[in-house]
Amino acid sequence: MSTLENAVSTQKDNIEITLNINSKEYKLNVSPTETLISVLRDKLKLTGTKYGCGEGECGACSIIMDGNLVNSCLVLAVQANNSEILTIEGYENDELIKKLQDAFIAKGAVQCGYCTPGMIMSGRALLEKNPCPTENEIREAISGNLCRCTGYVKIVEAIKSATE
Amino acid sequence: MIYHAPKTLKEFASIASKYGKEAAIVAGCTDVLIKKNFFDNKKTVISTNEIEEIKKIEETEDKIRIGAGVTFTDLLCSKPIKKHCKALYEAAKVCGSVQIRNRATIAGNIINASPAADSIPPLMVSDATLILFKDDKEERIKIKDFFTGPGKTKLKHGQIVAYIELDKDKDNTISFYRKIGTRKALSIAKASVAFRAIKTNGNLSSVNVSYGSVGPTVINSVKAREYLENKALTESTIEEASLMAFGEVSPIDDVRSTAEYRRLVVKNVMIEELRPFIDN
Amino acid sequence: MAEYRYLGKPVPRVDGREKVTGKVLYPSDLYFDNQLYISILRSQYPYARIKSIDTSRAEKIPGVVKILTHKDVPGINAFGIAVQDQPVFCYDYVRYQGDAIAAVGAENPAIAEEALKHIFVEYEVLKPITTPEEALKEDAPRLHKNGNILNYKYFEKGNIHTAFDESDIVIEHEYQTQRQAHCYLETESGAAYYDEDGKLVVHVGGQYPHRDVVQLSRILAIPEDNIRAINSPVGGGFGGKDELTVQAYLALMTHITKRPSRIFLEREESFLAGGKRHPVKIKLKTGVNKDGKLTAMDFYALSDTGGYASLGGPVFNLTVEHSGGVYFFPHAEVEGHCVYTNSGFQVAFRGFGVPQSLFALETQMDEMADTLDIDRLEFRKINLLERGQKGAIDNEFPLSIGSHAIVNAIEKGDIYKNRNKLKKTSKPHLKRGVGFALGLQGAGLGVGLPDFAHTRIRLLEDGTFRLYMGTSEMGQGNATCFIQIAAEIMNCELSDLSYILGDTGKVPDSGSATASRTIYAVGASIYYAAKRMKEKILTLYNGKKLEIRERTIYVDDQPKQTLLELAREQELETTGEFIVPTAKECLGDGLPHILYGYSGHVVLVEVNTLTGETEVLKAECYLDAGTVVNIQGLEGQSEGGLVMGLGYALTENSIVKDGYYVNPRFATYILPTALDSPLDIKTVAVDVYEKSNPIGSKGIGEVVFTSVAPAVVNAIYDAICVRFYSLPVKPEDILLNLNYKIKNQEGALCPH
């Protein structure tokens, strides 16, 4: 039963962390091997951030942590202690996200919508650092986000139009 | 399981030596969290993310010292790296994705020791030195002597890569890093080539070539390097050097590519990337 | 072209806001108090006999609540859309790596995962059938009771032997297409629970909830009325979620334990467990005369359906039916086998057997044109099937044919017109080529299969209208189109309408979201429901012209009542029905279709002859969608279909070796990223009107994909004069072929 003990022991939520998510403070207990995406979705029920692959290959779980776009499936929750996290749910207080949301709808950049929160976060991260990106810079910025529905064209158009 | 996030190298060293093999040491986590059994039989997770002293890039007149905790994005945002470590800069550009670059550290990439690692070939051709830290002792080792097999290094338990030191490019340094991936982003190299040399009056000196993903570890060229030393770059010397490259790599077939392709593409990358450096 | 208020316009998606805010709940987002987490024990072998299953140790693990095996299935332990030959839980054999054997319900996901390691299955490992050729051998083990052949087809017309003898040129090749994975971003996942009415709700992303209820009712042995399936919205389907995926495990777990349950497949498990596109080998022999007229076709296809049938039979029907593409062959022999193997399991996937046939045919068309020294587009024109002519399986094309309009549009298009200029490159080792291909896709299910759409419109108490449709929104944008159609007919504002999709507890049966049929059939049904609603309202006020403005009813330009007032007085509800028209004569097994959508793809590629890498620089997508309902939606589907086609042509391959999956991860199954896809994609909807639909529309969900791969492969030939007969065409294939040519001095590279 040793692998079971191992599974159970690594799952013990014995570390207290503080996360600032969308300007709200959360104190919670996590295990040292728990990922940030698991905290967001399974513990906090912030399901806007999506789980597509669990290995940083699809970007559906992208969020902004301390100003940097990251795959939350590859961030240990303990390492996010005291970080400022922005997820798609934080749009109400974020003008850039709101602009992107309007642009995505206006340009038809949403189909099944599953990649959309991650794409919007990637767009948000780009526009914060580079308010006037070229089309190629936009493609680079979203190259860590897979989409199976749209072919990316309208997503790039949407991000471009959000700069106007 | 216990979690530690030491704030200094010294603090890290004492915790790491206490746990030895039972410590899971993590930095950006972009490699380790993909490994299913990484935390098996470990008693502690030690994060190096809060050790400020290894997050800096410092330059002296002819060297650059990169802290272990520097991310690939940090490399891309660094003026000294862009100016003085061109091959490494090019490698950082094509590693992973924005999300991965924001977390992946240069030391993590080195210690993971994949023959496909993007930072290793450029560091090899810059003859980089790794500065290791264990207990209170510093140890220096050339990166070309650091790897013993795929995923294997000479790093001891409780030891950390603290800094990476390399020579700055000179004004007449020519270099490149070219990665042939499975696609243009989010890809692991099928084959990669790094090159660095000094070009004076048309002749090359201090030539270094290194090949990634075409052997059990990143390969330091012998034949192509020796051949090009003191030669001028022409279509014919480039062709000859590329044939040497073809002969001194030992790729395998795997899920990403074939040995035959890898060998051919290493040869052709030498040609494609060296051509623009030919004097008219 | 009629002037419409909403049809043809880029109306913003009605489900856009909830998706961009992250507020929409996909099946993978459902969490309930007291829920059980399900994990599935899957076979590690591609083929084995099960000798025993011992769950006793796993059952003792604290936190494990229930473990289900075949013994726990109250009804029929089998499912499958066309043929029910797949067990919910294996009991005698496992037939592919990924076959389900047991389900664990536990208090948390970690315990559920851990418990799997403590279920012991005793296998007698058997030698798997790894190729379809093996499956056809006399001495091959029989994977199912009726043997290894799921579907055999044979059609002939005319006399190909004489025709070939008399042809000026005969070309023959063997083609091979690969196993492609759907890679919907949302994996198979969902929840089961009891609703306020005590119905068992199974909430999983799928394509046909009413059929899911039928299958689940058989499995659970409870009446269909006691089950409610909700399957919309879905984070991508593409045909892979038409069949049952995880619904049975959820339904059984909740039915037996009376607790809500949740399942979420990790990506690797999704690759192992889920179905794929059929890999098909095609032997194609075609004859042609010097005047450019095709004479005969001898087509043989061998399709690998893997361990179970699912929709393998119907998919193969289309492979065979579409063998002649958009052309007229006076003589043809079309034959094929679709066989079971132990190499994964294959299901419906956008294109449904057609991309494989088109790859063979459209690349061979180019080769024939080049051999005859006739312009490749001209060669297509000479051979387009005209109304009255019959297809390869002697089938008729009574409804709209869009191939002529498409060929003409290609000719006038930028890429084709300027191909010589566009092919110039800056460096000698970069070679460019232009290629195109024509495609078609039979829409609807075929003869004899129930293919209907029921819908409903109701005036709600709050003075708005609600549309009820059974089909699901997988991203293709049909929900928006239904709203547009209803708003167009009722001449109201878009905001007067809301909708419910894909919930059997609330909506009628509109058929599956498959076969390019939702806008065509469900859209037509909504059209009729809206028309009846309009007529009812006009009858109430005795008028002829209806407009609804600011929630007020105007009849003959006179304001009559507000919608709210009307709603308080009357209960207004209408229904819509539509039955997809079918061929008069069945040629066997549901064939043929009579409704086809058409496509043409033109691409400009650049091949790096030093690295073998191919980049698609520009693409034009010509689509025959009939009347376009939402132009932005059409473009979005077109662009997505093109990029999926690039993946199919250049990088994607779900490899199964000796029955084992080699690359079941996103790291090794290569999808195009934004940097691998061109931004320069132009979509043109050609002017065609489909009379069998009340607004003239046709579906395009599949044609946006089916002719892309041959266009790319034709373009590669145009660039480097190397033909490829199998997909994907990777840099490895290109570089080695180029190297071989150079080594063997087979001429210089094409002097383009």
Side-chain angles (χ1 to χ4, degrees), chain B residues 52-68 70 74-75 78-81 84-85 131 162-168:
Chain B
E52 287 303 318
E53 59 201 282
I54 56 170
K55 288 190 190 175
K56 303 190 199 105
I57 299 173
E58 292 163 314
E59 66 175 308
T60 61
E61 200 177 317
D62 41 32
K63 285 203 190 294
I64 297 245
R65 175 185 266 226
I66 306 172
V70 164
D74 293 335
L75 292 174
S78 157
K79 283 206 184 81
I81 298 284
H84 304 298
C85 306
I131 297 163
Y163 306 98
I164 299 109
E165 220 172 66
L166 59 157
D167 291 331
K168 280 157 94 160

Side-chain angles (χ1 to χ4, degrees), chain A residues 85-139:
Chain A
I85 290 167
L86 182 62
T87 72
I88 192 74
E89 287 93 345
Y91 69 90
E92 289 189 20
N93 295 322
D94 194 293
E95 286 312 309
L96 256 181
I97 294 185
K98 278 200 244 185
K99 260 187 138 184
L100 284 162
Q101 288 170 329
D102 290 343
F104 267 61
I105 296 174
K107 291 292 179 182
V110 181
Q111 289 189 37
C112 87
Y114 208 73
C115 76
T116 302
M119 284 286 184
I120 289 180
M121 298 317 287
S122 293
R124 165 75 171 71
L126 171 71
L127 294 184
E128 171 109 71
K129 300 195 167 117
N130 182 354
C132 292
T134 61
E135 274 182 353
N136 263 335
E137 285 168 334
I138 297 175
R139 282 164 96 197

Side-chain angles (χ1 to χ4, degrees), chain B residues 2 7-8 17 75 89 148 235 248:
Chain B
I2 307 163
K7 301 255 190 313
T8 64
S17 67
L75 292 174
Y89 182 83
T148 59
E235 280 287 349
E248 61 179 350

Side-chain angles (χ1 to χ4, degrees), chain B residues 158-177:
Chain B
Q159 196 172 40
I160 190 177
V161 173
Y163 306 98
I164 299 109
E165 220 172 66
L166 59 157
D167 291 331
K168 280 157 94 160
D169 293 341
K170 300 195 168 37
D171 284 333
N172 49 3
T173 298
I174 59 171
S175 67
F176 70 79
Y177 174 74

Side-chain angles (χ1 to χ4, degrees), chain A residues 42 50-51 91 112 139 152, chain C residues 23 26 29 31 266 672 677:
Chain A
D42 302 326
K50 302 303 178 197
Y51 188 104
Y91 69 90
C112 87
R139 282 164 96 197
Y152 306 105
Chain C
K23 288 214 166 99
Y26 295 88
D29 295 326
Y31 294 86
E266 292 280 338
S677 316

Side-chain angles (χ1 to χ4, degrees), chain B residues 34 36 178 180-186 190 255-258 260-261 264-265 268-269 271-272 275, chain C residues 268 429 608-611 613 615 651 662-663 665-668 670-671 673 675-676 731-732 735-736 739:
Chain B
I34 294 166
K36 285 188 190 156
R178 175 74 180 277
I180 303 292
T182 48
R183 56 188 169 190
K184 294 211 176 113
L186 277 174
K190 296 197 282 195
V255 66
R256 286 189 184 91
S257 188
T258 63
E260 208 181 342
Y261 174 78
L264 254 178
V265 90
N268 288 351
V269 158
I271 296 173
E272 191 175 4
R275 265 190 189 150
Chain C
E268 186 172 332
H429 68 279
N608 181 328
T609 58
L610 287 176
T611 64
E613 292 165 312
E615 191 181 342
T651 60
V662 169
N663 56 339
R665 296 169 55 207
F666 272 167
T668 44
I670 308 302
L671 293 175
T673 67
L675 283 176
D676 302 290
E732 284 77 2
L735 200 60
L736 267 64
N739 201 49

